[in-house]
Coordinates of all heavy atoms in Angstrom, one line a residue:
V1 N 3.2 6.4 -10.9 CA 3.3 5.1 -10.2 C 4.5 5.0 -9.2 O 4.4 4.6 -8.1 CB 3.4 3.9 -11.3 CG1 3.7 2.6 -10.5 CG2 2.2 3.8 -12.1
L2 N 5.7 5.5 -9.7 CA 6.9 5.5 -8.9 C 6.7 6.4 -7.6 O 7.0 6.0 -6.5 CB 8.0 6.0 -9.7 CG 9.4 6.0 -9.0 CD1 9.7 4.6 -8.4 CD2 10.5 6.5 -9.9
R3 N 6.1 7.6 -7.9 CA 5.9 8.5 -6.7 C 4.9 7.8 -5.7 O 5.2 7.9 -4.5 CB 5.3 9.8 -7.2 CG 5.3 10.9 -6.2 CD 4.8 12.2 -6.8 NE 5.2 12.4 -8.2 CZ 4.5 12.9 -9.1 NH1 3.3 13.3 -8.9 NH2 4.9 13.0 -10.4
S4 N 3.9 7.2 -6.1 CA 2.9 6.6 -5.2 C 3.6 5.4 -4.5 O 3.3 5.2 -3.3 CB 1.7 6.1 -5.9 OG 0.9 7.2 -6.4
A5 N 4.4 4.7 -5.2 CA 5.1 3.5 -4.7 C 6.1 4.0 -3.6 O 6.1 3.4 -2.5 CB 5.8 2.7 -5.7
K6 N 6.8 5.0 -3.8 CA 7.7 5.5 -2.9 C 7.0 6.1 -1.6 O 7.4 5.8 -0.5 CB 8.6 6.7 -3.4 CG 9.6 6.2 -4.4 CD 10.5 7.4 -4.9 CE 11.6 6.9 -5.8 NZ 12.4 8.0 -6.3
T7 N 5.9 6.7 -1.8 CA 5.1 7.2 -0.7 C 4.5 6.0 0.1 O 4.5 6.1 1.3 CB 3.9 8.1 -1.2 OG1 4.5 9.2 -2.0 CG2 3.1 8.7 0.0
L8 N 4.1 5.0 -0.6 CA 3.6 3.8 0.1 C 4.7 3.2 1.0 O 4.5 2.7 2.1 CB 3.0 2.8 -0.8 CG 2.3 1.6 -0.2 CD1 1.2 2.0 0.8 CD2 1.8 0.6 -1.2
V9 N 5.9 3.1 0.5 CA 7.0 2.6 1.2 C 7.2 3.4 2.5 O 7.4 2.8 3.6 CB 8.3 2.5 0.4 CG1 9.5 2.3 1.3 CG2 8.2 1.5 -0.7
E10 N 7.2 4.7 2.4 CA 7.3 5.6 3.6 C 6.2 5.4 4.5 O 6.4 5.3 5.8 CB 7.5 7.1 3.1 CG 8.8 7.4 2.3 CD 10.1 6.9 3.1 OE1 10.2 7.2 4.3 OE2 10.9 6.3 2.4
D11 N 5.0 5.3 4.0 CA 3.8 5.1 4.9 C 3.9 3.8 5.6 O 3.6 3.7 6.8 CB 2.5 5.1 4.0 CG 2.1 6.5 3.5 OD1 2.8 7.5 4.0 OD2 1.2 6.5 2.7
T12 N 4.4 2.8 4.9 CA 4.5 1.5 5.5 C 5.6 1.4 6.6 O 5.5 0.9 7.7 CB 4.9 0.4 4.4 OG1 3.8 0.4 3.5 CG2 4.9 -1.0 5.0
K13 N 6.7 2.2 6.4 CA 7.7 2.3 7.4 C 7.2 2.9 8.6 O 7.5 2.5 9.7 CB 8.9 3.1 6.8 CG 9.8 2.4 5.9 CD 10.9 3.3 5.4 CE 11.8 2.7 4.4 NZ 12.9 3.6 3.9
A14 N 6.4 4.0 8.4 CA 5.8 4.7 9.6 C 4.9 3.8 10.3 O 4.8 3.8 11.5 CB 5.1 6.0 9.1
L15 N 4.1 3.0 9.6 CA 3.2 2.1 10.2 C 3.9 1.0 11.0 O 3.5 0.8 12.2 CB 2.3 1.4 9.1 CG 1.3 0.4 9.5 CD1 0.3 1.0 10.4 CD2 0.6 -0.2 8.2
V16 N 4.9 0.5 10.5 CA 5.7 -0.6 11.2 C 6.3 0.1 12.4 O 6.4 -0.5 13.5 CB 6.7 -1.2 10.3 CG1 7.7 -2.1 11.1 CG2 6.0 -2.1 9.2
S17 N 6.9 1.3 12.2 CA 7.5 1.9 13.4 C 6.5 2.3 14.5 O 6.8 2.1 15.7 CB 8.2 3.3 12.8 OG 8.7 4.0 13.9
A18 N 5.4 2.7 14.1 CA 4.3 3.1 15.1 C 3.8 1.8 15.8 O 3.5 1.9 17.0 CB 3.1 3.8 14.4
S19 N 3.8 0.7 15.2 CA 3.4 -0.5 15.9 C 4.5 -1.3 16.6 O 4.2 -2.1 17.5 CB 2.8 -1.5 14.8 OG 3.8 -2.0 13.9
G20 N 5.7 -0.9 16.4 CA 6.8 -1.5 17.0 C 7.3 -0.9 18.3 O 8.3 -1.3 18.8
T21 N 6.6 0.1 18.8 CA 7.1 0.8 20.0 C 6.5 0.1 21.2 O 5.5 -0.6 21.1 CB 6.6 2.3 20.0 OG1 5.2 2.3 19.9 CG2 7.2 3.1 18.8
E22 N 7.2 0.3 22.3 CA 6.8 -0.3 23.6 C 5.4 0.2 24.0 O 4.5 -0.5 24.4 CB 7.8 0.0 24.7 CG 8.1 -1.2 25.5 CD 9.2 -0.9 26.5 OE1 10.3 -1.0 26.0 OE2 8.9 -0.6 27.6
I23 N 5.2 1.6 23.9 CA 3.9 2.2 24.2 C 3.3 2.6 22.9 O 3.8 3.5 22.2 CB 4.0 3.3 25.1 CG1 4.7 2.9 26.5 CG2 2.7 4.0 25.4 CD1 5.0 4.0 27.4
I24 N 2.2 2.0 22.5 CA 1.6 2.2 21.2 C 0.6 3.3 21.3 O -0.4 3.2 22.1 CB 1.0 0.9 20.6 CG1 2.1 -0.1 20.4 CG2 0.3 1.2 19.3 CD1 1.7 -1.5 20.0
D25 N 0.8 4.3 20.5 CA -0.2 5.5 20.4 C -1.2 5.1 19.3 O -1.0 5.1 18.1 CB 0.5 6.7 20.0 CG -0.3 7.9 19.9 OD1 -1.6 7.8 19.9 OD2 0.2 9.0 19.7
Q26 N -2.4 4.7 19.8 CA -3.5 4.2 18.9 C -3.8 5.2 17.9 O -4.1 4.9 16.7 CB -4.7 3.8 19.8 CG -4.5 2.6 20.7 CD -4.3 1.3 19.9 OE1 -4.9 1.1 18.9 NE2 -3.6 0.4 20.5
E27 N -3.9 6.5 18.3 CA -4.3 7.5 17.3 C -3.2 7.7 16.2 O -3.6 7.7 15.0 CB -4.4 8.9 18.0 CG -5.0 10.0 17.1 CD -5.2 11.2 17.9 OE1 -5.5 11.2 19.1 OE2 -5.1 12.3 17.2
H28 N -2.0 7.6 16.6 CA -0.9 7.7 15.6 C -0.9 6.5 14.7 O -0.8 6.6 13.5 CB 0.5 7.8 16.3 CG 1.6 7.9 15.3 ND1 1.8 8.9 14.4 CD2 2.7 7.0 15.1 CE1 2.9 8.7 13.8 NE2 3.4 7.6 14.1
L29 N -1.1 5.3 15.3 CA -1.2 4.1 14.5 C -2.4 4.2 13.5 O -2.2 3.8 12.3 CB -1.3 2.9 15.4 CG -1.3 1.5 14.8 CD1 0.1 1.3 14.1 CD2 -1.5 0.4 15.9
S30 N -3.5 4.7 14.0 CA -4.6 4.8 13.1 C -4.4 5.7 11.9 O -4.7 5.4 10.8 CB -5.8 5.3 13.9 OG -6.9 5.5 13.1
K31 N -3.7 6.8 12.2 CA -3.3 7.7 11.1 C -2.4 7.1 10.1 O -2.5 7.4 8.9 CB -2.7 9.0 11.7 CG -3.7 9.9 12.4 CD -3.1 11.2 13.0 CE -4.2 12.0 13.7 NZ -3.6 13.2 14.3
C32 N -1.4 6.3 10.6 CA -0.5 5.6 9.7 C -1.3 4.6 8.8 O -0.9 4.5 7.6 CB 0.6 4.9 10.5 SG 1.7 6.0 11.3
V33 N -2.2 3.9 9.4 CA -3.0 3.0 8.6 C -3.8 3.7 7.6 O -3.8 3.3 6.4 CB -3.9 2.1 9.5 CG1 -4.9 1.3 8.7 CG2 -3.1 1.2 10.4
Q34 N -4.4 4.8 8.0 CA -5.3 5.6 7.0 C -4.4 6.1 5.9 O -4.8 6.1 4.7 CB -6.0 6.7 7.8 CG -7.0 6.3 8.7 CD -7.6 7.4 9.5 OE1 -7.2 8.5 9.4 NE2 -8.6 7.0 10.4
A35 N -3.2 6.7 6.2 CA -2.3 7.2 5.2 C -1.9 6.1 4.2 O -1.8 6.3 3.0 CB -1.1 7.8 5.8
S36 N -1.6 4.9 4.7 CA -1.2 3.8 3.9 C -2.3 3.4 2.9 O -2.1 3.1 1.7 CB -0.8 2.6 4.7 OG 0.4 2.9 5.4
V37 N -3.5 3.3 3.5 CA -4.7 2.9 2.6 C -5.0 3.9 1.6 O -5.2 3.6 0.4 CB -5.9 2.7 3.5 CG1 -7.2 2.5 2.7 CG2 -5.7 1.4 4.4
K38 N -4.9 5.2 1.9 CA -5.1 6.3 1.0 C -4.0 6.2 -0.1 O -4.4 6.3 -1.4 CB -5.0 7.6 1.7 CG -5.3 8.8 0.8 CD -5.2 10.1 1.6 CE -5.4 11.3 0.6 NZ -5.3 12.6 1.4
T39 N -2.8 6.0 0.2 CA -1.7 5.9 -0.8 C -1.9 4.7 -1.6 O -1.6 4.7 -2.9 CB -0.3 5.9 0.0 OG1 -0.2 7.1 0.7 CG2 0.8 5.9 -1.1
M40 N -2.3 3.6 -1.0 CA -2.6 2.4 -1.8 C -3.6 2.6 -2.9 O -3.5 2.2 -4.0 CB -3.0 1.2 -0.8 CG -3.2 -0.1 -1.5 SD -1.6 -0.7 -2.1 CE -2.0 -1.1 -3.8
G41 N -4.7 3.4 -2.5 CA -5.7 3.7 -3.5 C -5.1 4.5 -4.7 O -5.4 4.3 -5.8
K42 N -4.2 5.5 -4.4 CA -3.5 6.3 -5.4 C -2.7 5.4 -6.3 O -2.7 5.6 -7.5 CB -2.7 7.4 -4.8 CG -3.5 8.5 -4.1 CD -2.6 9.6 -3.5 CE -3.4 10.7 -2.9 NZ -2.6 11.7 -2.2
L43 N -2.0 4.5 -5.6 CA -1.1 3.6 -6.4 C -1.9 2.7 -7.3 O -1.6 2.6 -8.5 CB -0.2 2.8 -5.5 CG 0.7 1.7 -6.1 CD1 1.7 2.4 -7.0 CD2 1.4 0.9 -5.1
S44 N -3.0 2.2 -6.8 CA -3.9 1.4 -7.6 C -4.4 2.2 -8.8 O -4.4 1.7 -10.0 CB -5.1 0.9 -6.8 OG -6.0 0.2 -7.5
D45 N -4.8 3.4 -8.6 CA -5.4 4.2 -9.7 C -4.2 4.5 -10.8 O -4.5 4.4 -12.0 CB -5.9 5.6 -9.2 CG -7.2 5.4 -8.4 OD1 -7.8 4.4 -8.5 OD2 -7.5 6.4 -7.7
S46 N -3.0 4.8 -10.3 CA -1.9 5.0 -11.2 C -1.6 3.8 -12.0 O -1.3 3.9 -13.2 CB -0.6 5.4 -10.4 OG -0.9 6.6 -9.7
V47 N -1.6 2.6 -11.4 CA -1.3 1.4 -12.1 C -2.4 1.1 -13.1 O -2.0 0.6 -14.2 CB -1.1 0.2 -11.1 CG1 -1.1 -1.1 -11.7 CG2 0.2 0.4 -10.3
K48 N -3.6 1.3 -12.8 CA -4.7 1.1 -13.7 C -4.5 2.0 -15.0 O -4.6 1.5 -16.1 CB -6.1 1.4 -13.1 CG -6.5 0.4 -12.1 CD -7.8 0.8 -11.5 CE -8.2 0.0 -10.3 NZ -9.5 0.5 -9.7
L49 N -4.1 3.2 -14.8 CA -3.8 4.1 -15.9 C -2.6 3.6 -16.7 O -2.6 3.6 -17.9 CB -3.6 5.5 -15.4 CG -4.8 6.3 -14.9 CD1 -4.4 7.6 -14.3 CD2 -5.8 6.5 -16.1
A50 N -1.6 3.2 -16.0 CA -0.4 2.7 -16.6 C -0.7 1.4 -17.5 O -0.3 1.2 -18.6 CB 0.7 2.3 -15.6
A51 N -1.5 0.5 -16.9 CA -1.9 -0.7 -17.7 C -2.7 -0.3 -18.9 O -2.5 -0.9 -20.0 CB -2.7 -1.6 -16.8
A52 N -3.6 0.6 -18.8 CA -4.4 1.1 -19.9 C -3.6 1.7 -21.0 O -3.8 1.6 -22.2 CB -5.5 2.1 -19.5
S53 N -2.5 2.4 -20.6 CA -1.6 3.1 -21.6 C -0.8 2.0 -22.3 O -0.3 2.4 -23.4 CB -0.7 4.1 -20.9 OG 0.3 3.4 -20.1
L54 N -0.7 0.9 -21.8 CA 0.1 -0.2 -22.5 C -0.6 -0.6 -23.9 O 0.0 -1.0 -24.8 CB 0.3 -1.4 -21.7 CG 1.3 -1.3 -20.5 CD1 1.2 -2.5 -19.6 CD2 2.7 -1.0 -21.0
G55 N -1.9 -0.4 -23.9 CA -2.7 -0.8 -25.1 C -3.2 -2.2 -25.1 O -2.6 -3.1 -24.4
S56 N -4.2 -2.4 -25.9 CA -4.8 -3.7 -25.9 C -3.9 -4.8 -26.6 O -4.2 -6.0 -26.6 CB -6.2 -3.6 -26.6 OG -6.0 -3.2 -27.9
D57 N -2.9 -4.3 -27.3 CA -2.0 -5.3 -28.0 C -1.0 -5.9 -27.0 O -0.2 -6.8 -27.4 CB -1.3 -4.6 -29.1 CG -0.4 -3.4 -28.7 OD1 -0.8 -2.7 -27.7 OD2 0.6 -3.1 -29.3
Q58 N -1.0 -5.5 -25.7 CA -0.1 -6.1 -24.7 C -0.9 -6.6 -23.5 O -0.7 -6.1 -22.4 CB 0.9 -5.1 -24.3 CG 1.8 -4.6 -25.4 CD 2.8 -3.6 -24.9 OE1 2.5 -2.6 -24.3 NE2 4.1 -3.8 -25.3
P59 N -1.9 -7.5 -23.7 CA -2.7 -7.9 -22.6 C -1.8 -8.6 -21.5 O -2.2 -8.4 -20.3 CB -3.7 -8.9 -23.2 CG -3.0 -9.4 -24.4 CD -2.2 -8.2 -24.9
D60 N -0.8 -9.3 -21.8 CA 0.0 -10.0 -20.8 C 0.7 -9.0 -19.9 O 0.7 -9.1 -18.7 CB 1.0 -10.9 -21.4 CG 0.4 -12.2 -22.1 OD1 -0.8 -12.5 -21.7 OD2 1.0 -12.7 -23.0
A61 N 1.2 -7.9 -20.5 CA 1.9 -6.9 -19.7 C 0.9 -6.2 -18.8 O 1.2 -5.9 -17.7 CB 2.5 -5.9 -20.6
Q62 N -0.4 -6.0 -19.3 CA -1.4 -5.3 -18.6 C -1.7 -6.2 -17.3 O -1.8 -5.6 -16.2 CB -2.6 -5.1 -19.3 CG -2.5 -4.0 -20.4 CD -3.8 -3.9 -21.2 OE1 -4.4 -4.9 -21.5 NE2 -4.1 -2.7 -21.6
I63 N -1.8 -7.4 -17.5 CA -2.2 -8.4 -16.4 C -1.1 -8.4 -15.4 O -1.3 -8.3 -14.2 CB -2.4 -9.8 -17.0 CG1 -3.7 -9.8 -17.7 CG2 -2.5 -10.8 -15.8 CD1 -4.0 -11.0 -18.5
L64 N 0.2 -8.4 -15.8 CA 1.3 -8.4 -14.9 C 1.4 -7.1 -14.0 O 1.6 -7.2 -12.8 CB 2.7 -8.5 -15.7 CG 3.0 -9.9 -16.2 CD1 4.2 -9.8 -17.1 CD2 3.2 -10.9 -15.1
V65 N 1.1 -6.0 -14.7 CA 1.1 -4.7 -13.9 C 0.0 -4.6 -12.9 O 0.2 -4.3 -11.8 CB 1.0 -3.5 -14.9 CG1 0.8 -2.2 -14.2 CG2 2.3 -3.4 -15.8
I66 N -1.2 -5.1 -13.3 CA -2.4 -5.1 -12.4 C -2.2 -6.1 -11.3 O -2.5 -5.8 -10.1 CB -3.7 -5.3 -13.2 CG1 -4.0 -4.1 -14.1 CG2 -4.8 -5.6 -12.3 CD1 -5.1 -4.2 -15.1
N67 N -1.6 -7.3 -11.6 CA -1.4 -8.2 -10.6 C -0.3 -7.8 -9.6 O -0.4 -8.1 -8.4 CB -1.0 -9.6 -11.2 CG -2.2 -10.4 -11.7 OD1 -3.3 -10.1 -11.3 ND2 -1.9 -11.3 -12.6
S68 N 0.6 -7.0 -10.0 CA 1.6 -6.5 -9.1 C 1.0 -5.6 -8.0 O 1.3 -5.7 -6.8 CB 2.8 -5.8 -9.8 OG 2.3 -4.6 -10.4
V69 N 0.1 -4.7 -8.4 CA -0.5 -3.8 -7.4 C -1.5 -4.6 -6.5 O -1.6 -4.3 -5.3 CB -1.3 -2.6 -8.1 CG1 -2.6 -3.0 -8.6 CG2 -1.4 -1.5 -7.1
K70 N -2.0 -5.7 -7.1 CA -2.9 -6.6 -6.3 C -2.0 -7.2 -5.2 O -2.4 -7.3 -4.0 CB -3.6 -7.7 -7.2 CG -4.5 -8.6 -6.5 CD -5.0 -9.6 -7.4 CE -5.7 -10.7 -6.7 NZ -6.2 -11.7 -7.6
D71 N -0.9 -7.7 -5.6 CA 0.1 -8.3 -4.6 C 0.5 -7.3 -3.5 O 0.5 -7.7 -2.3 CB 1.3 -8.9 -5.2 CG 1.0 -10.0 -6.2 OD1 -0.1 -10.6 -6.0 OD2 1.9 -10.3 -7.0
V72 N 0.7 -6.1 -3.9 CA 1.1 -5.1 -2.9 C -0.1 -4.8 -1.9 O 0.1 -4.7 -0.7 CB 1.5 -3.7 -3.6 CG1 1.7 -2.6 -2.6 CG2 2.8 -4.0 -4.4
A73 N -1.3 -4.7 -2.5 CA -2.5 -4.5 -1.7 C -2.7 -5.6 -0.6 O -3.0 -5.4 0.5 CB -3.7 -4.3 -2.5
T74 N -2.5 -6.8 -1.1 CA -2.6 -8.0 -0.3 C -1.6 -8.0 0.8 O -1.9 -8.3 2.0 CB -2.5 -9.3 -1.1 OG1 -3.6 -9.3 -2.1 CG2 -2.7 -10.5 -0.2
S75 N -0.4 -7.6 0.5 CA 0.7 -7.5 1.5 C 0.4 -6.5 2.6 O 0.6 -6.7 3.8 CB 2.0 -7.2 0.9 OG 2.4 -8.3 0.0
L76 N -0.2 -5.3 2.1 CA -0.5 -4.3 3.0 C -1.7 -4.7 4.0 O -1.6 -4.5 5.2 CB -0.9 -3.0 2.3 CG -1.4 -1.8 3.2 CD1 -0.2 -1.4 4.1 CD2 -1.8 -0.6 2.3
K77 N -2.6 -5.4 3.4 CA -3.7 -6.0 4.2 C -3.2 -6.9 5.2 O -3.6 -6.9 6.4 CB -4.8 -6.6 3.3 CG -5.9 -7.3 4.1 CD -6.8 -8.1 3.2 CE -6.2 -9.4 2.8 NZ -6.2 -10.5 3.7
D78 N -2.3 -7.8 4.8 CA -1.7 -8.7 5.8 C -1.0 -8.0 6.9 O -1.0 -8.4 8.0 CB -0.8 -9.8 5.0 CG -1.6 -10.7 4.1 OD1 -2.8 -10.8 4.2 OD2 -0.9 -11.3 3.2
L79 N -0.2 -7.0 6.5 CA 0.5 -6.2 7.5 C -0.4 -5.6 8.6 O -0.2 -5.7 9.8 CB 1.4 -5.2 6.8 CG 2.1 -4.2 7.8 CD1 3.1 -5.0 8.6 CD2 2.8 -3.1 7.0
V80 N -1.5 -5.0 8.1 CA -2.4 -4.4 9.0 C -3.1 -5.4 9.8 O -3.3 -5.2 11.1 CB -3.5 -3.5 8.2 CG1 -4.6 -3.1 9.1 CG2 -2.8 -2.3 7.5
S81 N -3.4 -6.5 9.3 CA -4.0 -7.6 10.0 C -3.1 -8.1 11.2 O -3.5 -8.4 12.3 CB -4.4 -8.8 9.1 OG -5.4 -8.4 8.2
T82 N -1.8 -8.2 10.8 CA -0.8 -8.7 11.8 C -0.7 -7.6 12.9 O -0.6 -8.0 14.1 CB 0.5 -8.9 11.1 OG1 0.4 -9.9 10.1 CG2 1.6 -9.4 12.1
I83 N -0.7 -6.4 12.6 CA -0.5 -5.3 13.6 C -1.8 -5.3 14.5 O -1.6 -5.2 15.7 CB -0.4 -4.0 12.9 CG1 1.0 -3.9 12.3 CG2 -0.6 -2.8 13.9 CD1 1.2 -2.7 11.4
K84 N -3.0 -5.6 13.9 CA -4.2 -5.7 14.8 C -4.0 -6.8 15.8 O -4.5 -6.6 16.9 CB -5.4 -5.8 13.9 CG -5.9 -4.6 13.2 CD -7.0 -4.8 12.1 CE -8.0 -5.7 12.5 NZ -9.1 -5.8 11.5
V85 N -3.5 -7.9 15.4 CA -3.4 -9.0 16.3 C -2.3 -8.7 17.4 O -2.5 -9.0 18.6 CB -2.9 -10.3 15.5 CG1 -2.4 -11.4 16.5 CG2 -4.0 -10.8 14.6
V86 N -1.2 -8.0 17.0 CA -0.2 -7.7 18.0 C -0.6 -6.7 19.0 O -0.3 -6.7 20.2 CB 1.1 -7.3 17.2 CG1 2.2 -6.7 18.2 CG2 1.7 -8.4 16.4
V87 N -1.3 -5.6 18.4 CA -1.8 -4.6 19.3 C -3.0 -5.0 20.0 O -3.3 -5.0 21.0 CB -2.1 -3.3 18.4 CG1 -2.7 -2.2 19.3 CG2 -0.9 -2.9 17.7

């Protein structure tokens, strides 16, 4: 989970950087978005496994972990949507 989260942070930095330049390279921006989405999928899978490993005796903890990745995915979606409007 930590490795995927760190990678997603780096992917997001690259995405913001690519969209914040004066001359936007659409191909580079597209690759950054694709990398972020791919990493988000890996993070989601890791979090699902982590939630399952908590066991059924901790349903509240499972919900918190799953909701956290949902929040991250929503934030990434919002970022990509904002970039689409700006570009």
Side-chain angles (χ1 to χ4, degrees):
V1 171
L2 182 59
R3 192 173 327 135
S4 294
K6 285 182 178 182
T7 303
L8 184 59
V9 168
E10 294 305 315
D11 289 348
T12 303
K13 285 180 184 179
L15 179 60
V16 170
S17 176
S19 66
T21 59
E22 222 172 279
I23 300 172
I24 297 174
D25 180 352
Q26 294 289 331
E27 186 175 331
H28 179 65
L29 186 59
S30 175
K31 288 179 182 179
C32 290
V33 169
Q34 290 172 1
S36 295
V37 170
K38 182 178 177 182
T39 303
M40 186 65 233
K42 289 179 182 179
L43 178 61
S44 178
D45 291 342
S46 297
V47 168
K48 287 177 191 175
L49 290 172
S53 72
L54 290 171
S56 60
D57 59 327
Q58 296 179 316
D60 291 340
Q62 288 177 325
I63 290 169
L64 285 172
V65 170
I66 291 172
N67 282 340
S68 68
V69 80
K70 181 181 171 187
D71 291 342
V72 171
T74 299
S75 295
L76 180 60
K77 178 189 74 78
D78 292 345
L79 175 63
V80 171
S81 295
T82 302
I83 289 171
K84 283 172 43 179
V85 169
V86 172
V87 176

